[in-house]
Amino acid sequence: MNKKYELIYEGKAKKVFSHDDPDKVIIEFKDDATAFNALKKDKFEGKGKLNCLISARIFELLKNNNIPTHFIKLKNENTMISQKIKIIPLEIVLRNKAYGSLCKQTTIESGTDLTKPLIDIYLKNDELNDPLITKDRIELMNIISSKDLELVIDLTLKINGILKSFFRNIQIQLVDFKLEFGYDDKNKIVLGDEISPDNCRLWDLNQKNDTIVSLDKDRFRNDLGGLIEAYSEINRRINDFI
Ligand code: UDP
């Protein structure tokens, strides 16, 4: 990264730099991978680039479907230019199928198809280990108004509809995903962060039997190997389709 850009923030998977235009930022996707609140760490050469390219494609798809996002354009293969937004400290998880923490915390069996999408909201706070949070607690903490929360939920459901059918077209089942939203300079709610195999569960539908083949970060979480191959396959299918 060119020296003149100031590092504003460094997260687990991305670095955010200033831009000449104060309403924009430059987001660099890193090769680092973390799981279980960063207790597990590794580095995968090429992951940053793949997540950046995949996210850019998906943000474009969402934009074409009237979903406001922070994405402006790619700067290069692992860097994008985005609107500067004030991130709402909530992680919105939508689940189409029961897996992961939902099955660890409830008696719902892994792999159950959910009759309607389930939205779980977590407080974005590493020190507290991103706890599951209620609407009443969100109100109590004054994180976001209930009207804006409804808007965020509505956008999440719309995004699910768009992504589910898009991924089905490329033979991928969208099991669940995590979104983050923020306020832009006009105080409008827009989708932020990234949409990539790092924050979605993507299962390959090109399987003859019921074997689960994860093309996402579960390859790292569960030591399955082949992470770069899986992310490259997602990127390849997206590019072949669009
Ligand atoms: N997720 C994420 N960041 C987090 C927690 C979850 O991107 O800090 C994503 C995860 O990749 C999955 C979905 O949110 O697609 C649901 O994850 P879950 O709550 O099942 O947690 P996990 O089993 O990953 O601990």
Side-chain angles (χ1 to χ4, degrees), residues 2-237:
N2 191 315
K3 262 197 201 126
K4 75 176 176 159
Y5 297 113
E6 182 202 347
L7 180 67
I8 307 173
Y9 167 84
E10 178 159 6
K12 287 178 281 219
K14 293 186 284 295
K15 284 181 184 173
V16 181
F17 295 90
S18 64
H19 188 278
D20 298 333
D21 178 342
D23 293 333
K24 294 178 185 166
V25 288
I26 301 168
I27 303 180
E28 185 185 301
F29 287 64
K30 304 197 289 183
D31 286 341
D32 303 71
T34 61
F36 314 116
N37 201 13
L39 286 175
K40 183 169 177 169
K41 288 185 198 159
D42 209 336
K43 218 177 172 122
F44 296 89
E45 205 187 320
K47 182 178 83 79
K49 176 184 122 181
L50 286 162
N51 280 349
C52 182
L53 296 175
I54 293 168
S55 282
R57 286 290 198 195
I58 293 179
F59 281 136
E60 274 164 8
L61 169 78
L62 293 174
K63 191 172 151 199
N64 292 340
N65 283 274
N66 297 318
I67 302 288
T69 84
H70 69 154
F71 176 73
I72 298 172
K73 61 175 186 178
L74 277 174
K75 182 170 158 67
N76 57 48
E77 285 192 321
N78 69 338
T79 317
M80 58 173 62
I81 297 174
S82 300
Q83 285 183 72
K84 189 177 197 167
I85 59 170
K86 193 168 163 278
I87 283 281
I88 300 164
L90 296 175
E91 301 197 345
I92 318 291
V93 168
L94 184 144
R95 305 173 192 274
N96 292 307
K97 217 175 167 65
Y99 208 69
S101 71
L102 174 62
C103 305
K104 291 188 188 125
Q105 294 164 0
T106 67
T107 54
I108 302 166
E109 213 172 303
S110 207
T112 308
D113 280 315
L114 305 178
T115 45
K116 64 178 181 118
L118 172 71
I119 294 192
D120 282 334
I121 306 179
Y122 299 84
L123 180 67
K124 189 174 154 70
N125 185 314
D126 284 341
E127 277 170 38
L128 296 176
N129 221 348
D130 298 346
L132 190 62
I133 191 169
T134 62
K135 284 186 184 177
D136 284 349
R137 286 187 186 188
I138 293 171
E139 199 177 317
L140 191 66
M141 291 176 72
N142 265 321
I143 297 177
I144 177 176
S145 71
S146 45
K147 187 174 140 275
D148 280 359
L149 184 60
E150 288 312 315
L151 194 67
V152 161
I153 292 172
D154 185 51
L155 280 169
T156 303
L157 289 167
K158 282 193 182 126
I159 292 168
N160 182 49
I162 298 162
L163 293 187
K164 229 169 74 171
S165 62
F166 172 74
F167 279 116
R168 205 182 305 113
N169 281 330
I170 58 167
Q171 295 300 304
I172 300 285
Q173 183 170 23
L174 180 62
V175 173
D176 57 30
F177 58 88
K178 185 261 301 181
L179 303 177
E180 292 181 25
F181 292 86
Y183 291 98
D184 71 6
D185 56 335
K186 292 177 194 73
N187 229 21
K188 188 178 139 203
I189 291 183
V190 301
L191 177 65
D193 194 40
E194 65 180 288
I195 301 191
S196 75
D198 263 11
N199 57 2
C200 301
R201 282 200 169 94
L202 304 169
W203 290 0
D204 193 1
L205 287 169
N206 277 346
Q207 299 298 318
K208 287 192 185 71
N209 47 34
D210 284 343
T211 330
I212 295 171
V213 174
S214 299
L215 298 176
D216 55 52
K217 204 164 94 174
D218 276 347
R219 302 216 70 83
F220 169 61
R221 290 190 190 96
N222 305 333
D223 297 314
L224 301 171
L227 179 134
I228 291 297
E229 290 77 0
Y231 286 35
S232 302
E233 177 64 14
I234 297 289
N235 190 39
R236 187 190 64 76
R237 285 194 207 177

